[in-house]
């Protein structure tokens, strides 16, 4: 009954006539405007995506196993470093792009998967400055399977790399993952 009464009152207001000219409907200015319901702002996706950038690194063992292979999406192409200490491969997100990582996925080089032990993932804003290490040095890498490292550091960086000072920096594939929006 209450709903019917509200509908009738609404219709009465909409068809109410101007007192000065009973044949003309009331101007819109005379009606009380309803407050529009605000459209909610969409929440950005919290799903991390694989970051892309320009690969960089130290020279490879041969002309085929170059550092860009670590970021080409193919676990069968590899980066095989020249030296057994200090070599690295990474990506540059580009000028003006700084992102906080949420996780890092990596696939060791088969059959030299053990060479990732002692390796570290790092980030910086300046390749000539200080590199920040994410987590502890890798250990227990005993097979060529995808592995994942959760990153708790919420700082944003432009450059990310994998570096090994305990062994060759060989790797099959690396995915630096973060929230881009």
């Amino acid at each position: 009954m209450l709903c019917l009464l509200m509908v009738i009152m609404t219709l009465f207001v909409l068809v109410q006539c101007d007192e000065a000219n009973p044949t003309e409907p009331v101007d819109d200015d005379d009606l009380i405007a309803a407050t529009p319901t605000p459209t909610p702002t969409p929440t950005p996706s919290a799903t991390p995506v694989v970051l892309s950038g320009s690969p960089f690194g130290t020279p490879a063992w041969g002309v085929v196993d170059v550092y860009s292979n670590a970021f080409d999406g193919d676990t069968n192409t590899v980066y095989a470093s020249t030296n057994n200490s200090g070599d690295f491969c990474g990506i540059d997100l580009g000028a003006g792009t700084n992102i906080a990582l949420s996780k890092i996925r990596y696939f060791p080089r088969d059959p030299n998967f053990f060479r990732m032990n002692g390796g570290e993932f790092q980030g910086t804003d300046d390749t000539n400055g200080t590199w920040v290490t994410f987590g502890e040095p890798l250990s227990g890498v005993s097979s060529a399977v995808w592995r994942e490292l959760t990153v708790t550091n919420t700082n944003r960086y432009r450059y990310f790399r994998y570096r090994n000072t305990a062994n060759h920096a060989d790797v099959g594939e690396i995915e630096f993952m973060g929230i881009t929006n």
Side-chain angles (χ1 to χ4, degrees):
M1 184 72 172
L2 181 60
C3 289
L4 180 60
L5 182 59
M6 290 177 67
V7 169
I8 292 171
M9 288 176 59
T10 303
L11 289 174
F12 176 76
V13 169
L14 292 176
V15 296
Q16 184 178 23
C17 295
D18 188 5
E19 292 176 15
N21 191 350
T23 60
E24 294 293 320
V26 175
D27 292 333
D28 287 344
D29 295 339
D30 294 337
L31 296 176
I32 298 172
T35 304
T37 304
T39 304
T41 304
T43 304
S45 170
T47 304
V49 296
V50 177
L51 305 176
S52 60
S54 300
F56 65 88
T58 50
W61 181 260
V63 295
V64 177
D65 300 331
V66 295
Y67 53 77
S68 60
N69 288 350
F71 309 100
D72 66 0
D74 184 353
T75 58
N76 294 311
T77 61
V78 301
Y79 168 57
S81 68
T82 303
N83 301 302
N84 64 356
S85 179
D87 283 352
F88 58 89
C89 61
I91 59 170
D92 172 2
L93 300 180
T97 305
N98 293 36
I99 294 178
L101 292 183
S102 55
K103 63 182 169 179
I104 301 166
R105 295 184 67 225
Y106 59 96
F107 191 93
R109 177 186 175 200
D110 193 15
N112 297 330
F113 46 81
F114 60 89
R115 288 185 174 175
M116 288 198 79
N117 289 312
E120 299 174 321
F121 293 101
Q122 301 175 319
T124 190
D125 286 322
D126 177 9
T127 57
N128 295 319
T130 302
W131 287 86
V132 176
T133 300
F134 305 115
E136 298 295 320
L138 301 179
S139 63
V141 180
S142 59
S143 61
V145 296
W146 279 105
R147 299 169 187 280
E148 189 172 294
L149 171 68
T150 300
V151 178
T152 57
N153 181 328
T154 58
N155 293 326
R156 302 167 75 84
Y157 301 103
R158 172 180 170 177
Y159 304 94
F160 298 101
R161 73 178 181 183
Y162 164 69
R163 181 175 188 240
N164 200 331
T165 58
N167 212 326
H168 287 271
D170 294 7
V171 62
E173 194 67 25
I174 300 171
E175 294 178 344
F176 293 109
M177 304 181 76
I179 312 287
T180 58
N181 49 353

